[in-house]
Amino acid sequence: MLRINVVTIFPEFFAGPLSLSIPAKAAGTGGVAYNVIDLRTFTHDRHRTVDDYPFGGGPGMVMKPGPFFEAVESVQAKAPIVMLSPRGRRFSHADAVRFAAGTELTLLCGHYKDVDERVATHLATEELSLGDFVLSGGEPAALAIIDAIVRLLPGAMSDLESARTDSFFDRGISAPSYTRPAEYRGFTVPDVLVGGDHAKVAAWRDDQSLQRTREAEARDRAAWLAREETIAAREAAIAAMERLQAAKALKKAKAKAAKERARARAARAAE
């Protein structure tokens, strides 16, 4: 059995989703047990405070390290302990397979502006993200990751072959799917799918999968190049700012040196 611990300040967020569909079925067949931990249980003030102002100033609030450490220690959690963060490596199907093959997983849900860095560096064993965007908290990301994992567990899906033909399951992007009716509002199903030739259907699906995978990879490459250009422009702007600051510092140093020389000359003239 896989035990999934979820550390959050909103335990009620998980009550509905984990009681429905595949997550509920996976738990019902004994493949997974969910342990949702209320972070506020591990606070020590009457207001149950989990956040504080950031050292060094700045906007927003930062979640305190203590409650996270105590929550994880309370269940004697073992690795992997995952901090959900936009700074993390992007979660993939390979991660879902890795976690599904394990016996325990702990997900740490942040909130507010940030989580104290000591949670990421000294408690979590890895940081994961759903993508290059920011959510209001780690809870939606945790649900997405849980769903991706538990559907791979034995007994979670009545048709395991359906999962094996999904995108990213030992393959690239899956082929498009169609169902009845064969014609809807003038839009028709490809002839090969209704012709009854299973070999041709398999070949068509392989071709469509390859084509869609190549298109997705091309989009990823384009996005990567655009990101590299943005980074290069940002680095050029930083370098220009550093040159400006260096020039200002040099000018200031020269002005200071000139003043000191002028004072020295004035002192010698007064002797």
Side-chain angles (χ1 to χ4, degrees):
M1 176 189 287
L2 171 64
R3 180 177 75 158
I4 299 180
N5 304 308
V6 184
V7 181
T8 174
I9 59 172
F10 295 115
E12 63 274 15
F13 186 95
F14 296 89
L18 295 184
S19 67
L20 300 171
S21 189
I22 299 299
K25 187 173 182 181
T29 58
V32 64
Y34 305 115
N35 182 24
V36 181
I37 303 163
D38 186 350
L39 191 68
R40 294 190 188 276
T41 302
F42 302 92
T43 57
H44 304 285
D45 67 300
R46 64 189 182 92
H47 298 294
R48 307 180 78 199
T49 307
V50 295
D51 61 307
D52 208 335
Y53 294 103
F55 279 121
M61 302 294 283
V62 176
M63 297 190 78
K64 298 156 69 73
F68 278 103
F69 276 81
E70 292 183 29
V72 170
E73 290 165 357
S74 74
V75 293
Q76 299 179 322
K78 303 177 181 65
I81 301 171
V82 177
M83 181 72 216
L84 299 169
S85 164
R87 290 187 293 265
R89 176 178 57 79
R90 188 172 297 185
F91 175 75
S92 69
H93 179 72
D95 293 309
V97 172
R98 172 167 61 97
F99 295 146
T103 59
E104 184 170 7
L105 170 67
T106 299
L107 301 172
L108 309 179
C109 301
H111 218 76
Y112 306 114
K113 175 68 175 177
D114 207 349
V115 176
D116 190 292
E117 182 65 13
R118 288 166 290 189
V119 175
T121 55
H122 301 295
L123 178 62
T125 59
E126 55 190 290
E127 285 185 87
L128 290 177
S129 167
L130 291 189
D132 295 338
F133 55 91
V134 178
L135 297 167
S136 58
E139 287 78 14
L143 276 178
I145 288 173
I146 290 171
D147 189 88
I149 294 167
V150 301
R151 67 194 305 275
L152 303 177
L153 298 175
M157 295 184 66
S158 56
D159 184 2
L160 184 58
E161 186 62 26
S162 177
R164 290 196 176 110
T165 56
D166 285 341
S167 296
F168 312 118
F169 199 109
D170 297 330
R171 60 188 296 144
I173 305 298
S174 62
S177 301
Y178 296 87
T179 189
R180 294 178 178 83
E183 184 274 330
Y184 180 72
R185 296 189 179 185
F187 305 113
T188 58
V189 173
D191 291 339
V192 66
L193 297 181
V194 295
D197 190 324
H198 296 295
K200 287 184 178 180
V201 169
W204 179 86
R205 284 176 172 159
D206 287 343
D207 179 70
Q208 290 291 309
S209 174
L210 179 60
Q211 180 178 325
R212 287 188 164 199
T213 300
R214 285 174 173 170
E215 290 172 352
E217 289 173 346
R219 289 195 301 270
D220 288 344
R221 283 194 296 272
W224 182 83
L225 289 172
R227 181 177 176 84
E228 288 294 299
E229 290 174 359
T230 300
I231 292 172
R234 187 182 301 133
E235 289 177 344
I238 292 172
M241 184 180 299
E242 289 174 343
R243 288 194 297 271
L244 180 60
Q245 291 173 341
K248 287 181 178 179
L250 179 60
K251 183 178 180 180
K252 185 176 180 180
K254 286 181 176 179
K256 182 178 179 181
K259 287 181 180 179
E260 290 176 350
R261 289 195 297 270
R263 282 196 296 268
R265 286 196 298 269
R268 287 196 298 272
E271 291 177 353

